[in-house]
Amino acid sequence: MQDLAALFDKSAAVLQHSLVGGRYLVAKHHLEAGDVVLQCPVLLTAQLPSWRKRICYACHRMCQARLALRCKGCEQVWFCSPACQDSTTPGSDPSHVGPEGAHKLNGLSDTQVPHQLLCPVLARFGSAKCGADMLCVLGMVLQLLGLQQLAGQAPSETQQRASAAVGAFEVLQDHAAELGKRERLEWLSALTFLRQDSTEDDLLTQAADKADNVYQPLVSALSLPNAAAQMSPQHSLHGPGGSQLLPQFPSAEPSCSSISPACQPGMQQRQPPRALLPHACRANIAEETRSDLPAESSCQDMLSGSLQQRASQRARKPSTGLQHPDVAGPKGAQTQSIDVKAKCAPTTDPADGMDDGKQQGSGGLLVSESPVLDADNFPRHPRSETSVGRVLFLQASFFNHSCHPNCYVHRNPTGATIIAMQPIAVGQELTISYIDEQLPQAARMLALQRDFFFRCNCSRCSFGLREGSSRRKAKRG
Ligand SMILES: C[S@@+](CC[C@H](N)C(=O)[O-])C[C@H]1O[C@@H](n2cnc3c(N)ncnc32)[C@H](O)[C@@H]1O
């Protein structure tokens, strides 16, 4: 908690903890509408496997053609240029990477940990047949372990990130109880996969051993009381150290369906357990025709593109539901668009075997799944978009959800800014909306239960429920 509290030192938020509600944030001082509560850098990103042959691992450039350069060690990551490939070798100068310096996306890189640390473990990812979403999350867990391992020898910024990594695991532990059986099994399989077959000089062996105080409680928290009965026959019960608690990741060409229905061609991909890693969001590609797209674009271009089109589309839509106070944008912060122009389709190489069925042949605007601002600065949730990866925000993950939030999230190229939407008194809880709060109550409840595994107890929902029951009582009486 001590480490975590320090994450908010430079913000207008204070981290609090209650036995009933867990961690939450309150206003450090009085806030006016438009005040910036905190700037939250991206902690980690991970590409979905289906995009890795189109998006350079080092600079995140999105390319039309399939990338030709691949890491010979793990065969799991692709590069757009020899410079990018060289940047992942020890001793290279990262400031020269990428033809347009696109790598200078603060935090927006899954190369924060030197690739040679991750390479031996990533090599095993080729045989992992779990869903694309879980592979993405596993990639992030791997980076977190890498950051932890670096902690002792790294500059202070990296040490801070490593301590944030521990915080991320703690968050995961705290929410393990909320998962359904399927999600727990998938997590147990994934964690076991990370530990098994590792060699002595393997990052995971070293990092997971060091992190055992975090890793083992997590495993226990995820364990089902009657694990043996819940598992499919393909799972055996050998865990690390001979434990009988864990399902082992199948080694010889398992049936995908035993791990995740997401692997089955033509099946709708399940929503990932996004609540697990704090505020792990999707970077999405909205449907748009390819002819509208530029010839080539880096993520930097993409992330700083114009919001004009979205704004004009939005302006035509009538506003419904909750009325938020008018907010002109973050005070002192330039309102930036997060739209991304991309022209390419994801890899549809059948050899991948892990393509997300939703990602078929569309390019478009890259946006975030977390709330983004429209022309009126109201949070909104883009729909019908295709995911290209996951983004992890740490500080933002401590905001509780409310269906009548007093803050909103504004995404920008290097992270997210949380902005007050109304005057907030010192000590008052700061909340954001995880979903489209303009949905009716039943749909909101469904979305929160399905995607975030909790039942909302915000004032609006509680009031709505009381209202519903008193209406029913009135009818009966
Ligand atoms: C991103 S975390 C927020 C921080 C969290 N309170 C903690 O201690 O880690 C999301 C989790 O907080 C809890 N939560 C957030 N908003 C909630 C709400 N409106 N009603 C009930 N639980 C909520 C749920 O357990 C949810 O999985």
Side-chain angles (χ1 to χ4, degrees):
M1 192 71 182
Q2 194 60 44
D3 277 348
L4 295 177
L7 288 171
F8 300 92
D9 281 353
K10 292 182 190 150
S11 77
V14 183
L15 188 63
Q16 305 266 325
H17 185 267
S18 87
L19 284 177
V20 185
R23 290 158 292 204
Y24 60 100
L25 293 164
V26 300
K28 200 179 274 178
H29 48 75
H30 178 85
L31 292 164
E32 289 295 343
D35 279 349
V36 171
V37 177
L38 70 86
Q39 309 270 9
C40 179
V42 170
L43 178 67
L44 294 167
T45 64
Q47 296 165 8
L48 278 169
S50 48
W51 283 91
R52 63 193 169 176
K53 293 176 191 169
R54 293 277 195 252
I55 301 175
C56 175
Y57 178 76
C59 74
H60 283 215
R61 168 180 292 270
M62 192 176 277
C63 299
Q64 184 170 30
R66 184 177 154 155
L67 298 171
L69 294 170
R70 178 163 73 158
C71 170
K72 291 191 175 71
C74 62
E75 300 187 338
Q76 295 297 306
V77 300
W78 275 256
F79 303 97
C80 68
S81 68
C84 278
Q85 187 164 23
D86 289 348
S87 74
T88 61
T89 57
S92 66
D93 176 1
S95 65
H96 295 138
V97 178
E100 291 161 20
H103 65 290
K104 289 175 187 162
L105 292 164
N106 288 337
L108 270 182
S109 165
D110 37 16
T111 54
Q112 295 294 327
V113 182
H115 181 65
Q116 81 270 16
L117 268 179
L118 308 183
C119 191
V121 190
L122 283 174
R124 291 195 281 125
F125 274 45
S127 65
K129 299 288 184 194
C130 57
D133 278 318
M134 184 52 81
L135 279 178
C136 231
V137 176
L138 281 177
M140 285 192 179
V141 171
L142 184 57
Q143 291 167 59
L144 291 173
L145 288 170
L147 283 169
Q148 271 196 311
Q149 201 201 28
L150 287 175
Q153 59 205 27
S156 64
E157 195 203 336
T158 310
Q159 287 190 24
Q160 230 179 11
R161 295 169 78 89
S163 119
V166 177
F169 272 104
E170 285 170 353
V171 171
L172 175 55
Q173 278 172 44
D174 290 353
H175 295 293
E178 291 169 7
L179 298 181
K181 280 182 203 165
R182 177 186 289 278
E183 285 78 22
R184 283 178 186 219
L185 278 176
E186 180 136 331
W187 266 95
L188 284 168
S189 302
L191 288 169
T192 308
F193 164 70
L194 283 176
R195 295 277 290 202
Q196 81 174 15
D197 296 339
S198 45
T199 58
E200 261 177 33
D201 57 349
D202 191 303
L203 163 73
L204 286 173
T205 311
Q206 295 169 22
D209 284 348
K210 277 190 192 169
D212 258 358
N213 57 337
V214 173
Y215 176 87
Q216 289 303 351
L218 175 57
V219 168
S220 322
L222 284 167
S223 295
L224 295 167
N226 188 10
Q230 322 262 7
M231 280 168 219
S232 65
Q234 285 92 334
H235 290 100
S236 63
L237 291 175
H238 303 290
S243 151
Q244 292 292 300
L245 269 178
L246 301 172
Q248 192 172 38
F249 208 85
S251 49
E253 291 304 309
S255 132
C256 272
S257 56
S258 68
I259 314 279
S260 162
C263 302
Q264 290 179 355
M267 276 195 81
Q268 179 70 24
Q269 177 119 11
R270 283 180 59 80
Q271 287 293 317
R274 276 173 290 173
L276 291 181
L277 284 172
H279 219 74
C281 302
R282 289 170 177 225
N284 288 330
I285 296 244
E287 301 288 324
E288 191 180 271
T289 54
R290 273 201 223 183
S291 55
D292 295 339
L293 300 167
E296 178 108 357
S297 55
S298 70
C299 243
Q300 186 82 70
D301 301 335
M302 295 190 283
L303 289 164
S304 57
S306 164
L307 195 58
Q308 292 289 317
Q309 186 183 353
R310 177 175 304 281
S312 58
Q313 281 167 357
R314 190 67 183 165
R316 286 196 293 272
K317 280 195 183 170
S319 171
T320 55
L322 275 184
Q323 288 299 309
H324 294 298
D326 244 355
V327 177
K331 282 185 194 165
Q334 191 193 351
T335 305
Q336 277 177 303
S337 129
I338 57 159
D339 279 7
V340 173
K341 289 284 187 187
K343 62 166 187 144
C344 57
T347 303
T348 49
D349 188 341
D352 275 357
M354 286 181 284
D355 273 338
D356 183 334
K358 293 181 290 185
Q359 299 176 355
Q360 295 194 358
S362 63
L365 301 169
L366 184 70
V367 294
S368 136
E369 195 179 59
S370 66
V372 284
L373 296 178
D374 63 14
D376 307 313
N377 285 323
F378 287 172
R380 60 178 293 275
H381 291 260
R383 294 166 203 272
S384 68
E385 290 161 348
T386 303
S387 176
V388 297
R390 296 261 172 271
V391 182
L392 175 60
F393 298 103
L394 189 63
Q395 287 93 334
S397 71
F398 295 100
F399 283 84
N400 276 334
H401 161 87
S402 168
C403 296
H404 194 176
N406 54 19
C407 298
Y408 64 84
V409 183
H410 173 65
R411 295 283 302 277
N412 57 50
T414 56
T417 307
I418 315 291
I419 301 149
M421 283 201 287
Q422 59 194 52
I424 303 173
V426 58
Q428 191 182 336
E429 180 168 5
L430 301 162
T431 55
I432 57 172
S433 177
Y434 299 177
I435 53 160
D436 180 354
E437 75 273 16
Q438 296 187 11
L439 292 169
Q441 187 181 16
R444 297 198 312 270
M445 280 178 73
L446 188 72
L448 289 168
Q449 189 68 58
R450 184 195 57 211
D451 298 342
F452 297 93
F453 310 109
F454 70 86
R455 192 182 173 88
C456 185
N457 62 12
C458 76
S459 55
R460 188 178 167 205
C461 287
S462 308
F463 178 71
L465 288 177
R466 278 204 298 276
E467 202 180 39
S469 62
S470 53
R471 223 184 284 132
R472 275 195 300 278
K473 269 188 198 160
K475 266 189 185 173
R476 277 203 301 268

